[in-house]
Amino acid sequence: MSTPHYTLHINGEWVDTADKYEIRSPATGELVATVAKGGVAEIDAAVAAAKAAHIEGTWRNTPPAERAALVNTVAERMGARLEELAALQTRENGATIRITGALHIGLSVAQMQYIAAQAAEYEFEKSGPAIGPVPAEGILRREPLGVVGAIVPWNIPMLTIVWKVAPALLAGNTVVLKPDEHAPLIALELMKEFEAAGLPKGVLNVVVGDGEDAGARLSAHPDVRKVAFTGSTSVGQSILAASADSVKQVTLELGGKGPNIILEDADLSVAIDGAIYACMANNGQACEAGTRLLVPASRRDEIVDRLVARVNTMKLGDPIDLATDIGPLITADQRDRVLAHIRAAEAEGAKVATGGAAPSAPEFANGNYVEPTVVVDVTNDMKIARQEVFGPVLSVITYDSVEEAIAIANDTEYGLSAGVWGSNEEQTLDVARRLEAGMVFVNDWHVLHPAYPFGGYKQSGLGREGGPDALDEYTEQKYISVDRSGGVENKAYAIVLGTPA
Ligand code: NAD
């Protein structure tokens, strides 16, 4: 079978370019697809198409229930292709087939359906409270912003796309989506389904391109009214700066350094697996991962022994195999960065309890693998405890009191996720309330749900995605006052000008 070639989608047309990306499996190096490579010119064409579609108005004037029905059709069609799309995602970015099915595609479909249901009920226009003492009446409207730019990473492409594209479209906006250059295929598959479902031309445009080139142009473009971004904190900062000139709205979903506290009375028969899952799901490449495991000094040795024993049973391997627990990292560079983090931790006094290297067996030779790793004797000032590692590397930090655990947990620039394990609900909830994070998981982790918001405190981001207020992030509020009295009595102007004699 010949290698599939994907093209960009601009103004209702599939557009090829002279430059191409080669998408290679991070597990085997096999060529999965080639993809057209867009740049500034393609972003400009896509923004112009989205702006024209917004002005022309077919989509924003489509009744919300019809917009919701179209998004539901797309969700259904993506859901019907779950197995095929999960396999494509696994081959493209190396996430294991178990997680691409359940989370990448499955949860994304549920998220689209949830926001579509919300949009069908959303009050785009309603009467406001009485104004008095003037005779005017108030109307409150929620209107689309115009052109929305969406920029997403490679680690969980479909979910980070639908968090932006679904509410933006459901609110009547037009969109230019720039997927990550390492994993753009799901975005283009989604575009095909929107086209098949009859989305008008120019309403959704997809331009794959490099970050510094296509991404930077989209985030600075004067005709883009909002940028919704998921990615690293450093790129998020540059997007925030680029938004200043044209005063764009910005939603940022950035990095994390999730603290995961095991309390003294925690049931280790669930907390050990939970701690590994918190850190190593998606091959350790999840922004909301629990990467700093805080353990009580009194149970430190027992916890470390059980962690090491369990990690040693985990199967590293081809992510397309259902038996595989951990697959490869996205690129060889990323593998080398993760290994460098482990070596730097050792140089600062931490110890590798298990893992810590790239596997040497021949079956791993063409993949970007790192063994699942537990690093112990980590202190919260070490680089490995402060910076995102983005690999299957769990750092164990010891604490003496719950107060100290909370202080260590909150001593970070990030605030995306946190977690706590314990048997006393009063205590676990007290700790949960005191953790500075947008999401806190008690006795589990990665419990993402369409009805709850996703996002972080501090340098983990700005705004929230999904959840009950998803559409608010993609609408302007407008207040219209209407005086239907026809008379001069009690006019607002009369308060200053007086009434004519
Ligand atoms: P990244 O920031 O390098 O890239 C993300 C996207 O931004 C890509 O599409 C890239 O092409 C684009 N980009 C790069 N430079 C740009 C620029 N100067 N201007 C505009 N766009 C630019 O992130 P990454 O390394 O690919 O992804 C991993 C990061 O994403 C991690 O930090 C992770 O925590 C974060 N992440 C956050 C969430 C969340 O919801 N908070 C979810 C997933 C991933």
Side-chain angles (χ1 to χ4, degrees):
M1 208 175 75
S2 65
T3 306
H5 177 62
Y6 287 79
T7 54
L8 315 180
H9 194 82
I10 301 172
N11 202 23
E13 306 283 338
W14 294 96
V15 177
D16 210 352
T17 56
D19 273 358
K20 309 219 179 325
Y21 291 109
E22 285 191 346
I23 306 296
R24 290 189 176 274
S25 157
T28 61
E30 146 218 25
L31 187 62
V32 176
T34 53
V35 181
K37 178 177 181 175
V40 170
E42 286 74 18
I43 289 288
D44 284 353
V47 172
K51 186 180 177 185
H54 177 70
I55 291 169
E56 189 268 333
T58 302
W59 181 245
R60 71 184 146 88
N61 292 319
T62 298
E66 281 178 39
R67 293 199 297 251
L70 190 145
V71 169
N72 267 326
T73 302
V74 173
E76 226 168 79
R77 295 169 78 124
M78 294 296 280
R81 296 174 59 196
L82 188 138
E83 282 186 23
E84 170 213 343
L85 294 173
L88 182 69
Q89 188 56 84
T90 290
R91 291 172 69 227
E92 179 188 46
N93 79 348
T96 62
I97 191 72
R98 286 192 226 143
I99 201 164
T100 53
L103 174 80
H104 290 235
I105 312 299
L107 181 63
S108 303
V109 167
Q111 182 69 73
M112 287 177 86
Q113 290 165 331
Y114 172 80
I115 305 178
Q118 213 178 44
E121 302 291 314
Y122 194 69
E123 290 190 297
F124 284 94
E125 181 167 316
K126 63 180 179 186
S127 302
I131 290 169
V134 297
E137 291 162 41
I139 297 171
L140 286 169
R141 275 177 63 76
R142 286 277 184 177
E143 297 190 346
L145 307 168
V147 180
V148 170
I151 302 177
V152 297
W154 44 264
N155 63 333
I156 311 180
M158 183 161 164
L159 190 58
T160 53
I161 289 167
V162 303
W163 270 332
K164 300 164 184 60
V165 169
L169 293 180
L170 286 160
N173 297 282
T174 58
V175 177
V176 177
L177 167 63
K178 196 211 79 67
D180 189 274
E181 52 275 30
H182 301 94
L185 303 184
I186 289 294
L188 294 160
E189 293 294 342
L190 185 70
M191 183 66 245
K192 288 181 195 168
E193 297 297 356
F194 270 110
E195 184 186 41
L199 191 71
K201 73 171 184 150
V203 173
L204 176 60
N205 306 270
V206 184
V207 177
V208 185
D210 289 352
E212 322 72 70
D213 178 28
R217 176 61 180 160
L218 184 58
S219 50
H221 199 296
D223 290 334
V224 172
R225 298 309 328 142
K226 169 171 182 142
V227 174
F229 170 75
T230 299
S232 58
T233 294
S234 59
V235 173
Q237 287 161 338
S238 65
I239 284 177
L240 196 56
S243 70
D245 274 352
S246 51
V247 193
K248 288 185 202 342
Q249 299 194 27
V250 176
T251 300
L252 301 175
E253 298 292 353
L254 309 176
K257 199 67 216 175
N260 190 6
I261 303 174
I262 295 186
L263 295 173
E264 211 151 15
D265 66 355
D267 174 359
L268 295 188
S269 71
V270 293
I272 295 295
D273 272 29
I276 294 167
Y277 170 66
C279 176
M280 299 188 189
N282 217 46
N283 309 336
Q285 301 169 125
C287 50
E288 84 284 6
T291 49
R292 291 182 296 146
L293 185 66
L294 274 53
V295 305
S298 58
R299 300 188 76 184
R300 183 261 184 209
D301 291 351
E302 178 191 6
I303 291 172
V304 169
D305 287 350
R306 289 179 71 163
L307 277 174
V308 168
R310 180 68 177 96
V311 165
N312 288 345
T313 68
M314 292 176 78
K315 185 172 172 341
L316 189 67
D318 190 335
I320 206 78
D321 182 350
L322 266 174
T324 293
D325 295 310
I326 302 214
L329 302 184
I330 187 74
T331 57
D333 280 354
Q334 182 60 17
R335 175 198 58 205
D336 294 346
R337 263 197 296 276
V338 169
L339 293 172
H341 266 292
I342 298 169
R343 300 289 84 83
E346 287 177 318
E348 287 186 88
K351 293 187 188 60
V352 171
T354 188
S360 53
E363 72 259 33
F364 299 114
N366 296 321
N368 314 317
Y369 288 93
V370 171
E371 294 166 344
T373 299
V374 177
V375 182
V376 298
D377 298 346
V378 173
T379 54
N380 205 43
D381 55 346
M382 292 180 184
K383 190 171 152 226
I384 200 166
R386 305 215 72 86
Q387 297 182 5
E388 259 194 322
V389 175
F390 239 52
V393 181
L394 181 59
S395 294
V396 180
I397 300 174
T398 307
Y399 69 82
D400 287 317
S401 68
V402 174
E403 288 306 311
E404 191 196 2
I406 294 170
I408 295 171
N410 289 338
D411 175 16
T412 168
E413 296 305 326
Y414 292 112
L416 187 57
S417 63
V420 53
W421 300 77
S423 302
N424 175 341
E425 186 166 311
E426 205 179 317
Q427 187 182 26
T428 52
L429 281 182
D430 176 57
V431 172
R433 291 187 179 105
R434 295 171 64 192
L435 294 172
E436 295 167 357
M439 293 170 284
V440 182
F441 305 112
V442 177
N443 289 329
D444 206 346
W445 203 285
H446 298 297
V447 187
L448 309 186
H449 189 282
Y452 288 88
F454 189 97
Y457 286 22
K458 301 194 263 186
Q459 292 189 26
S460 287
L462 268 185
R464 293 292 182 272
E465 297 195 304
D469 305 321
L471 286 149
D472 292 358
E473 300 264 356
Y474 291 90
T475 51
E476 287 281 12
Q477 288 198 65
K478 181 184 277 182
Y479 152 52
I480 303 177
S481 91
V482 193
D483 183 340
R484 300 192 174 105
S485 70
V488 293
E489 297 281 296
N490 297 325
K491 287 285 193 198
Y493 67 72
I495 297 168
V496 175
L497 296 183
T499 43

